[in-house]
Amino acid sequence: METKKKTLFIAFSSQKGGVGKSTFTTLFASLLHYRLGYNVAVFDCDFPQHSLVKMRERDMSNIMGNEMYKKLAHKQFTSINKKAYPVIQHRADGVLEAVEQFLQSSSVPVDVIFFDLPGTVNSAGILKTLAGMHHIFTPIIADRVVMESTLVFTQVLNDVIRKQSATSIQSISLFWNQVDGREKSSLYGIYENLIKSLGIHVMRSHITDSKRFRKEGEADAKTVFRSTLLPADERLMKACRLDLFMDEFLRTVKL
């Protein structure tokens, strides 16, 4: 008898805003659901902005107002024969219980649930929710303030949550985002040595800086990058090395 595969809980999480956690949640949810054949759901717990819920609303509007997007969406949804993944608004406090109810009532088996969480460990219920994740990915940039904030955040996860017996965490991984080719590579080496000395894992793949991360659904766009309804264009993924990062991500979460 085949055992039912457990749903993976994944969060791109950070103590610092503006480093890309919501963007990566969208990118990976869309790639897994629309291109790689997994069934995905997203819980937007980032109160009060709930940026992913608002992004889904914008994406619906963009597709209806752009002929190219409309054709892409029609072709995609006809070929994959499934609906868009749900983006569900909830507070971080109590979200794990809400997810269990969602999984029990879902008409299809759900492979992965992504959580977009508030950027502070002081939010109500955040530590309990993080302890319920299977994999946590934290984007970092070569900035002293971001690094200090991230290392404190990650050490809280390592030292507090993982010492508790009731934790689901299998991996916590930092990864470089917005890497500028003009910056001295020695700077990254210094930071990486510091991170590794603290026993924290850093992914090998680096995401290079790209204006695509700050754009979505332009009216005259010929390609798609950040969208909750369509996966990122493969050429744009290669341009910022997101394709290499995706491979490492899949190996890390064992999908």
Side-chain angles (χ1 to χ4, degrees):
M1 184 178 173
E2 191 177 342
T3 35
K4 186 183 175 187
K5 197 174 178 184
K6 194 173 180 181
T7 305
L8 280 182
F9 293 177
I10 299 175
F12 284 93
S13 189
S14 174
Q15 176 85 341
K16 195 72 182 162
V19 295
K21 64 185 181 66
S22 296
T23 294
F24 282 105
T25 302
T26 304
L27 286 168
F28 278 77
S30 295
L31 287 166
L32 290 180
H33 190 79
Y34 303 127
R35 185 168 291 153
L36 298 181
Y38 296 100
N39 289 324
V40 169
V42 172
F43 275 74
D44 182 352
C45 308
D46 197 4
F47 175 85
Q49 55 267 34
H50 291 297
S51 55
L52 296 190
V53 169
K54 290 172 185 169
M55 189 188 293
R56 168 57 63 83
E57 292 169 359
R58 289 195 304 273
D59 288 341
M60 293 290 289
S61 174
N62 287 336
I63 280 180
M64 295 314 294
N66 181 308
E67 283 305 313
M68 187 207 75
Y69 286 161
K70 203 182 288 185
K71 286 176 185 173
L72 278 177
H74 177 73
K75 183 180 178 184
Q76 169 182 281
F77 288 111
T78 330
S79 64
I80 66 175
N81 196 26
K82 62 179 179 180
K83 297 178 180 177
Y85 58 81
V87 180
I88 301 158
Q89 181 173 315
H90 205 284
R91 287 192 179 240
D93 197 12
V95 70
L96 294 175
E97 291 77 10
V99 165
E100 287 307 323
Q101 290 178 6
F102 167 77
L103 289 174
Q104 287 172 22
S105 63
S106 176
S107 58
V108 295
V110 181
D111 301 300
V112 183
I113 294 184
F114 287 95
F115 295 76
D116 194 30
L117 301 171
T120 170
V121 290
N122 297 323
S123 297
I126 189 71
L127 285 177
K128 181 186 174 187
T129 302
L130 284 166
M133 297 299 105
H134 298 118
H135 301 280
I136 297 169
F137 295 88
T138 300
I140 50 175
I141 59 175
D143 173 274
R144 183 181 170 182
V145 174
V146 172
M147 287 301 303
E148 287 177 355
S149 171
T150 302
L151 292 178
V152 168
F153 169 76
T154 309
Q155 284 182 300
V156 166
L157 292 181
N158 275 326
D159 299 342
V160 179
I161 296 178
R162 297 189 83 168
K163 285 179 182 174
Q164 298 176 5
S165 54
T167 178
S168 302
I169 298 173
Q170 296 168 25
S171 75
I172 299 173
S173 305
L174 305 190
F175 66 94
W176 291 108
N177 185 29
Q178 299 175 25
V179 173
D180 187 338
R182 295 167 298 181
E183 286 179 318
K184 292 180 181 176
S185 57
S186 58
L187 179 64
Y188 290 98
I190 292 165
Y191 278 134
E192 287 211 9
N193 288 334
L194 170 62
I195 294 165
K196 287 172 183 173
S197 73
L198 297 169
I200 299 168
H201 176 249
V202 188
M203 296 180 76
R204 294 179 65 183
S205 312
H206 296 184
I207 309 290
T208 56
D209 197 19
S210 169
K211 63 182 180 180
R212 299 301 315 175
F213 284 94
R214 291 174 282 279
K215 290 185 178 181
E216 62 181 79
E218 303 96 324
D220 59 348
K222 300 291 188 292
T223 50
V224 176
F225 190 66
R226 184 175 62 181
S227 169
T228 66
L229 294 172
L230 296 161
D233 182 274
E234 292 183 78
R235 291 162 298 175
L236 297 177
M237 286 178 64
K238 284 181 181 175
C240 60
R241 300 183 187 170
L242 189 62
D243 57 336
L244 300 176
F245 181 84
M246 184 67 172
D247 290 342
E248 189 173 358
F249 169 89
L250 292 171
R251 289 196 302 272
T252 303
V253 302
K254 298 179 174 62
L255 273 175

